[in-house]
Amino acid sequence: MSQSTVPQTIRMSSFLKKLRGLKKKEQESVENIQESNQGQREKQEAQPSNVHHGVALDPAGQRTSQLLPMLVKPSPSPAEARRKSQPAPVVFPEIVQRQPSAKQQRGLSQPKKKSLEDSGPVFPELSDENFRYLWMGKKIPRGRTLRESLELMDEREILDTILRHLQPAPQKPTSSPRRKSTTLSQDSAASSLRAAQQKTSKAGHEKNALYRYYGLKLRDSRSKETVHQYLHLLLKLPLEEETVREGISEAVGVASYFHLSQMLMALRDFGHAAIARKIEMSENTEEKNASITVMLCYGQMALGARQEDLLRFIEFIVAELLYQFQNTRKDEALKKSLMKTAILTTKALVQTHVVNIIFPHKAELTICIIEVIEEEPLGSFSISVLHHAIITVSCMTALKPPMDSPLRSELVQKSIKKVFSLPSLKLTKLKAGSSMHTTQSQDFYQQTVTACLNMMTSLLSEAPSLETLEDILVHTNGWIDSPRVYERERAVKSTSFLMKYVSEHLDFDISHDFPFLGQLVALLSLHIADIVKEIGLQSAEALYHLHYIMIAKMGKKVEMRHKNRKGNVVKWFREDFFIPGPSIFYNDISKVAKAFGEHLTPSQINDVVLKAIDNLTVEDRAISQAAAVLLSSFLEECGMDMEDLHMIVKEIYNHLPRIPDPRTKEETLTAMVNLATKRLNPVVDSLLDCSMDCDESAVVIWKALVADPYCSIKLLRPLLKRLQDEDPSSEVTSRRHSKSQMPMAATNALCLILALPEASDVLQNKFPQLLLALITQIYFVLGSGRRGSRATSLMPDPPSHLSPLTTTVQALKNLIGCGGYIKEYNMLEIQRCWDMLSSPENFFDGIRLLIRTLFAYSKVHLRNTFKQANAYLRRTDVKERTVGMAFFTELLFHSEIGLYFVKQDIMDVLKEWMGQANPLMQLFSVRGLGYMLLHPLEEESLNAFVSPLINCAYNPDKSIAKESMKCLQLLFHHLEVEEYSLAGCSLYPQLLKHFNDEDNEFRICSISLFGMLLRGIKEEHRNRAEDTIIRSLVPLIIQLSDPVSGEDCRIVLNTIVTFLKLGEMPVDIFECGQQDRLYYRSSLICKYILWRYRQRLPDMLMQMMEYLRSRNPAHREAAIILIACNAQYMKPDLVSNKQIDDIYLALLDLQGDLDVAVSNAAVAACEELLRRCAGRINPKILPSQHLQSLLKNNTARK
């Protein structure tokens, strides 16, 4: 459709404003280097036009030659140099010269043989012999060749003859046919079309050669009038067909070698006249075709002109080209002619081999091409114009000046938008198979995508710097995340192509910063895991080349110092990322962090991390998993350099519940752990701030932190800090929330953490600190609650699961459990210790129970805890001092106590407490003395404790008695045997009572102390202890099979054998062998020991029967076997029938024992008892099966 003159004028004026701005910049840059190029240009213009100097090829020239084989590779441009001054308005010297006279004209028209140097380029394909058919009607003299004959002919006659053949053949007028109903098949129509196209192509080729032949004859003409006349005749040919326009332009191009200035004037007048006619009247096709022809002619003239002429008139040619394009309605033919002319002009300038030659009006021409690209429809299947536009830009980059950043950015944005959004190849194949659409071939379609890649590298070549690369990547990065596979694939391929180009060119300026590096690393890393394998491979390759660029960027600095700008040793010295190639990233995304982490700024690291977090929740599992791995590896590698860590933690916390893939969630938790290993304190604070009540997401994160060995060791330190920040108040809930929620948040977190199986690793050296802090927290909560109960609270009661008291007590319970005190925990649970701690009235009773149970076995590092406990001892409040006493007493076990207190002072305090009536004080004093006895002490200070301790051992309080016995053992290690043996004799009966105690520790303590006292007894005191010693045989023998106390019993039994002087015995009589040897061992013991004291057998049997009721299965089994072994010694004079009946009934009951070993032993013992004492057992108590067996045995015996 034609356009009105007013819109056309408005559009042209807006364009010219843009051009003037760009042209002003170009002229300013040209003036800076005018002087440096003057002498060089004069030297080049003095040289013969057909002489070319050999020069090296730069990368820009190489790419130009690859894109367009017809272009000659330009020489390198190591230093910028341009023309000396801006050329004045174009003047045509030949045109303003005086016109020759008629005589001179006739002389010029006469054929004259040219010299070889002045004949111009030779075109063998345009020899006269190839056009013999033109002269078939001419008479050729004999003996002369066709060329010689033509030289004798008038040149006007020759040109007229060629021009007649160039005239289009007359076409028969055709009336508009009536549209027929389609009877022809689509296949036959397509076949006819292909045949017609082939025929037209062949004819066009012949016609094109004829046009060039016409141009050759014009070139050889010496008459300017003839050239002017026949050029106008050529331009008057009908211009509707493309072949005619192309032919005319080629003819003009050939002829311009000798007549450039004359032809430029003629074309300018012809083109301006066509523009004027279009402005005066509505634009028609004829005038548009004239402009297209003129534009094509300018390109061919630039290519065909001599070097010196081209350099003089190149600015005029480009300016006229722009004028024609901007003042003509733009259609596909006009756009293609613009781009073809630009390419031909570029080629012509490259062929001059002038160093740093300037392409005039390059920016203006680029703007025109950008408009052409922008006018192309998105997703179109017709891409010829787009393809030519991209090729044109690529060619123009071979010449100076380079584009400025805004123009380059706009060009890349418009180009990749059109190219990347092209339909996929699969879709184009479907379209190509349809007869309803005319589409490009698949090869041409793919070439367009490749051409876009070449264009971007060409842009890099004209301004090789990271700034230029950034101008391109800022537009390609957005397409990498496209949901369409083909768009994503093109974007990744482009990025890889660019990275490879930059990494392979050593002249690339990489000194500038690269702000988009973080985003680029994140995008490429994520798409290594793309579902399309090719995209993943291209992403890995792009990262590989990008890493090479970063290494080159850091290379000079690293050569001078082996640390990066952060002061860290560069880690890429420790691992070679180049030998494996791109596969190192494709096979392991985590390597990206190791390769790039050291070279990214904190803001770039944040870009990578935030991009990875955003992709954790995507539906594509491969991408989400890759995002998690990338996040984890970067937080591990760069956690110390993170900016705004609170935001990172909060983002991970918010995204965690929305992650659908389990593997992604697991790796995300690993990422949080990696960050915590670098900066634990801020991570803990941020996590507490995110979730005060420890919700589900926080629970998952805390569990992950506890499971990590490094974090678990250091996790309690920040939590304890937050826990101890709590300030007591009358209104617990309101005061805590009004001031700080951190203490309660820390308590909630500790309650969770201490309930985990891995919590034992968390405690380590923090168990006493945490224990003291939690008990103190309970005390503060109870105290403020009790004081607040006096007045009506304005705050509603919190839910039970959020109650500070409930949470803190539960945290303490979890602490005891995870500390490995499972049995103690059960004991505390049974004794309702938690209820006591939760009650203001019984709080300190709970503390006494807790400390008494726990610290007997605990082994901790106590420096900080001891300081806190010592401070509690100095409190004026009795209750606080009592709590401090409990901790102080337990801490005396450790040798570090001597660094803080004088030992003798401690001993005096403990002796004073031991005399107190308060059982708790007595317990603390005895236990404290025991801890002190573990350290070197003077014996003189210990004698005073023997009598009080023996008195405490008789204490009915089991805890005090046990602690006293333990303390006595330690005390006796410090004293001489003779000094304590007599005093200890009174303890034998008391110790014997505890031999079968269910408390293993108490039982072992009693047995060990018994043996210790026995070893120190003197000969004169044997009679006083012998009875008790004999009574201890049965309990000790039975407990030989006990896995806990068996070894202690064996030692004591050996001591008893020595003490009683029982003589020689089997060496292994008391050895704890296999279970199946219990009968053998018991029979030996009965034979060598118990038989000697058979008069005491009834008492011994009574002791054995007591063990039949023991809760310990091993004790019951050993007692049964010992009874069975003694059955043979149960004579009537030693054991009564009633006692045998009682033994039999007891064994009979044990046959149904839940323990299989005990049940089997009871069955065997009953049979043995029946065999040995059958006649003495009351038949009424015998079961029927035993009675029948007994009758059979009696009958058989008779």
Side-chain angles (χ1 to χ4, degrees), residues 1092-1147:
R1092 296 190 179 188
Y1093 302 98
R1094 53 184 178 275
Q1095 298 301 326
R1096 292 176 175 268
L1097 185 57
D1099 295 335
M1100 293 180 180
L1101 290 174
M1102 290 296 295
Q1103 289 179 304
M1104 296 175 195
M1105 289 182 65
E1106 289 179 6
Y1107 277 95
L1108 294 179
R1109 295 186 292 272
S1110 173
R1111 293 185 180 181
N1112 192 325
H1115 294 176
R1116 295 199 301 272
E1117 183 184 7
I1120 292 171
I1121 295 173
L1122 193 60
I1123 290 173
C1125 293
N1126 279 287
Q1128 59 180 327
Y1129 306 120
M1130 295 180 186
K1131 304 301 181 181
D1133 58 334
L1134 296 177
V1135 181
S1136 65
N1137 292 342
K1138 183 179 183 306
Q1139 191 173 15
I1140 292 176
D1141 290 343
D1142 293 340
I1143 294 173
Y1144 178 77
L1145 290 174
L1147 293 175

Side-chain angles (χ1 to χ4, degrees), residues 906-972:
I906 297 175
M907 299 294 287
D908 294 339
V909 172
L910 293 177
K911 185 177 180 181
E912 180 183 355
W913 292 351
M914 200 173 296
Q916 298 293 328
N918 188 339
L920 183 59
M921 288 293 186
Q922 290 184 2
L923 178 62
F924 286 164
S925 64
V926 173
R927 186 176 298 170
L929 178 60
Y931 293 153
M932 292 300 296
L933 291 172
L934 296 175
H935 315 312
L937 294 172
E938 296 180 0
E939 294 184 3
E940 291 78 7
S941 63
L942 299 178
N943 292 326
F945 285 95
V946 175
S947 179
L949 281 176
I950 292 176
N951 292 333
C952 289
Y954 283 98
N955 195 300
D957 190 327
K958 183 178 177 180
S959 299
I960 297 177
K962 181 173 68 173
E963 292 298 329
S964 299
M965 293 178 186
K966 291 170 59 179
C967 187
L968 281 170
Q969 292 184 63
L970 297 173
L971 181 63
F972 292 157

Side-chain angles (χ1 to χ4, degrees), residues 63-259:
R63 279 188 304 281
T64 304
S65 64
Q66 291 171 1
L67 292 171
L68 293 172
M70 75 285 289
L71 294 181
V72 178
K73 301 176 184 178
S75 58
S77 53
E80 289 196 5
R82 300 185 181 180
R83 288 174 293 181
K84 177 178 179 182
S85 61
Q86 187 71 14
V90 180
V91 179
F92 299 93
E94 298 87 343
I95 296 176
V96 300
Q97 290 176 357
R98 186 184 307 167
Q99 294 294 329
S101 61
K103 183 177 181 180
Q104 290 173 334
Q105 291 177 3
R106 285 193 300 272
L108 289 174
S109 63
Q110 294 299 322
K112 181 179 179 180
K113 189 172 183 179
K114 305 184 186 73
S115 65
L116 193 60
E117 294 179 355
D118 199 27
S119 61
V122 179
F123 301 101
E125 71 278 6
L126 300 181
S127 64
D128 296 324
E129 294 295 333
N130 292 337
F131 299 93
R132 181 176 290 274
Y133 65 90
L134 297 175
W135 321 112
M136 297 300 292
K138 306 292 182 180
K139 293 183 179 180
I140 300 176
R142 290 185 178 182
R144 293 183 180 272
T145 63
L146 178 60
R147 179 174 180 78
E148 292 173 346
S149 300
L150 291 178
E151 288 179 351
L152 297 175
M153 294 176 60
D154 184 70
E155 61 183 10
R156 291 175 177 268
E157 180 182 0
I158 296 174
L159 291 171
D160 288 335
T161 303
I162 301 175
L163 196 59
R164 284 196 299 272
H165 283 80
L166 291 176
Q167 293 290 339
Q171 298 181 358
K172 296 180 180 180
T174 57
S175 59
S176 217
R178 183 180 303 170
R179 178 174 293 181
K180 302 178 182 179
S181 59
T182 305
T183 58
L184 215 59
S185 66
Q186 294 181 355
D187 292 341
S188 61
S191 177
S192 301
L193 179 62
R194 285 193 297 269
Q197 289 176 346
Q198 293 175 0
K199 184 176 180 181
T200 303
S201 176
K202 182 178 180 180
H205 181 71
E206 295 175 353
K207 201 70 169 287
N208 186 271
L210 191 59
Y211 278 109
R212 289 171 57 81
Y213 187 56
Y214 184 86
L216 181 64
K217 295 304 179 182
L218 277 180
R219 185 196 72 177
D220 294 341
S221 174
R222 297 300 185 184
S223 172
K224 294 185 179 294
E225 180 181 355
T226 302
V227 172
H228 185 270
Q229 177 185 355
Y230 280 89
L231 175 60
H232 279 279
L233 290 175
L234 182 66
L235 293 173
K236 288 181 180 179
L237 292 175
L239 305 175
E240 289 81 5
E241 295 184 8
E242 182 180 0
T243 55
V244 175
R245 299 193 293 268
E246 294 283 352
I248 291 174
S249 66
E250 292 200 21
V252 171
V254 173
S256 63
Y257 187 81
F258 287 123
H259 310 289

